[in-house]
Amino acid sequence: MRTELWSTIGSAFPDNKGLSCRIIVTTPIQSIAYACSSEDRYIYKMRGLGKKHSAQLFKRKGPKVELEQAQILKKCDGLPLALVSIAQFMSKKCVPNGTSCKDVCNRLGYYLETDKDTLARMQGVLAKNYASLHGHELKACLLYLGLFPSEHPIRKKRLLRRWLAEGLVETQDLAVMNFQEFIDRNITRPIDVSYNEKVKTCRTCGIMLEWIRRKSVSQDFITLCCDGIVKLLCDQGGRPKCVRRLCLHRGGTAHVSLGNVSLVRSLTIFNEADETLVDFGNYQLLRVLDLEECNNLSEEKLRGIGNLLLLKYLSLGGTITKLPIEIANLEFLQTLDIRRTNVRTLPIDVMSLPFLVHLLGKFRLTGKAKQMSKAEQFLSSGKSNLQTLAGFIVGESEGFLQLLSHMNNLRKIKAWCESISGSNGTVHLVETVQKYIQDNDEEEQTNQDDRSMSLHFKVSSLDFHSLKGPCYLSSLKLHGMLGTALPPFVSLLSGLRELCLSTSTLTADILATVSKLCYLQYLKLIADQIEEFFIEARAFPKLLRLCLVLQHPTNNILVINEGALSKLVALQLLFEGLNDPSGINIAHLKSLKEVTLHPDQTIKLDQWQQAARDHPNRLNVELMGTIDPMDIDAAENSPLQDEKSTPENVTQRPLQDHSSSSTRLKVMMT
């Protein structure tokens, strides 16, 4: 059913004029659920089965022999139809032939395509979901998801930038619409969401991903090397196939004989790669080069990157410590992501790339006076398209701050303020911040929807008292020695919706100032110690998410008055020694849906879960999982970070998984 059909169907039912009626609609599409629901949004998201009940259902419907079923249960993701179908398939086809669960997992896409008996119903559901997508563009974006490994979190921005670089979508708005369509249909599921409920990280359901991967490989949309197998690199006659999107997964073979790769448009490596695979002189049409999880790329091989004249997306990994000067040849480059690298200096020529939109990392700019002058001339001409600069190191040199003042399209800035000596350096930094946050005129309001700034400072000599209003930011993150009070400009910021403060001690004055920011939707406070946080009635009227990360908490640090936090949906209390729920009284929080606790709070977990059951919203209470190192702010500031965490052991955070494990939504109208 489409949303427009509901307006026709709904008009046939009587208005609720003293009559008691109830209509229940089930749908896998969230937008339809919202369209059918009343203003009070009586929507129930059905969850999938947990591990225990999934195993019970699989055992009841599956083979009567003991099997190592953990991997297959993970693929089914708690979906009853998947569990029953695969259990019956193994009983009839696999056990008699000696096929193991591991073999089924490795070839699940093949079985979904070829089995016309026990898997037919599930295959029909998946095929119908794909066929219902409107237009070739949307289907191409869906097939693109097959490049990513199973259980691999997908960053939204990474995915959208790759779609744009390959030309699968023409504009950023279309990319966002396509991504949201997959979320709406439960094809991809949120793992992490931002303050405004927008998805930051997602994943694809195991069964759906296997079907997508099989479909995209069979149509030569992608070429995969995984599970020790080179898949479909040759046609039935043994001739090399036309490879357009090549991806090497972990566990795949590092030695791949490809033949002609001149038509490859994207190369993605989640593994070690053979030297012939990263011989960039062979790639003539490459648009996307994603090597952020390639762990054996040499800097010598990287020199050939200057030949990739059509490259639009470049992401590199931890084996790289220096970028070649040839990177300035990449005139069409739109995204340069070196966050996972150890690169700390960047050629100043990069700032003159005309199509560069996103520059991500932690670096200083280096170059001679002539190159600096050339970059300043380019930036002052207004030709720069740079929107994201996250982030740069502010040091002794003042030249870069002068360049920054010419970047008029910036929407996101992240800076590390290190070794600023003398008043001139501080003055230039404050002047740069003033220009960036300045709220100039009403004509720019349409471009101010998403302007953010993140400052990391190890020194307390930064004086922001001279900053004046009117000023605007949608997101502000301050990490360092804040002292006893917030910089005055924070209270002058109009439209501030996200605020993150990280310091040694959060004083009562700081907390009082924060409480007056009435437009906040997300507040994150990270500190060694915090004075009592007393939230009065009617405070934070729009706050949706509140996160406290503390090293040395004291008793009764959070007091919530009745009537405060009226719209709070998620509460994260990430510190040890937390009292039972009675100390916070979550019953006052009428909109609360989920609570996350420190992983060491297992002793008090039962008490919190009981309080959650007593709450009218039947809250979801979880323990915090590990932190994704690519979440830079969290990784650098959270005491929960594992210093040995690497890209290979990233897992999603339980609270942040906002997926509904089922594919159905129930809407109740009263």
Side-chain angles (χ1 to χ4, degrees), residues 636-657:
E636 289 180 351
N637 299 289
S638 174
L640 302 182
Q641 182 198 13
D642 181 0
E643 295 180 355
K644 297 181 180 180
S645 64
T646 62
E648 285 74 20
N649 58 29
V650 173
T651 59
Q652 61 262 31
R653 290 171 277 185
L655 167 69
Q656 304 292 353
D657 191 345

Side-chain angles (χ1 to χ4, degrees), residues 543-615:
L543 195 69
L544 299 175
R545 298 178 178 276
L546 173 62
C547 177
L548 296 180
V549 183
L550 306 174
Q551 287 279 27
H552 307 293
T554 57
N555 293 331
N556 299 322
I557 59 171
L558 181 62
V559 179
I560 303 175
N561 240 6
E562 187 171 2
L565 302 172
S566 58
K567 293 187 178 181
L568 192 73
V569 174
L571 178 63
Q572 293 179 296
L573 304 172
L574 307 181
F575 48 87
E576 300 180 34
L578 180 65
N579 292 331
D580 58 68
S582 62
I584 294 180
N585 197 0
I586 59 176
H588 291 331
L589 307 176
K590 304 301 183 182
S591 300
L592 192 64
K593 295 181 180 179
E594 52 191 39
V595 176
T596 304
L597 305 176
H598 190 281
D600 292 338
Q601 288 294 128
T602 53
I603 297 177
K604 300 289 180 65
L605 183 60
D606 290 342
Q607 298 178 33
W608 278 88
Q609 288 178 336
Q610 181 58 49
R613 286 190 289 269
D614 295 339
H615 194 280

Side-chain angles (χ1 to χ4, degrees), residues 486 490-496 499 508-520 523 533-543:
L486 274 181
V490 176
S491 59
L492 300 176
L493 291 170
S494 62
L496 186 64
L499 178 63
D509 287 342
I510 292 178
L511 298 174
T513 303
V514 170
S515 298
K516 296 177 183 178
L517 300 174
C518 58
Y519 293 102
L520 277 185
L523 176 61
F533 191 8
F534 186 81
I535 304 179
E536 298 180 353
R538 294 185 295 278
F540 298 113
K542 296 186 178 182
L543 195 69

Side-chain angles (χ1 to χ4, degrees), residues 41 172 306 341 400 409 462 568 599:
R41 293 282 173 89
Q172 175 74 15
T341 71
F400 179 65
N409 293 322
L462 295 177
L568 192 73

Side-chain angles (χ1 to χ4, degrees), residues 378-396:
F378 170 79
L379 294 171
S380 61
S381 67
K383 296 179 180 179
S384 174
N385 287 297
L386 196 62
Q387 296 180 12
T388 304
L389 184 57
F392 57 93
I393 301 173
V394 181
E396 301 292 343

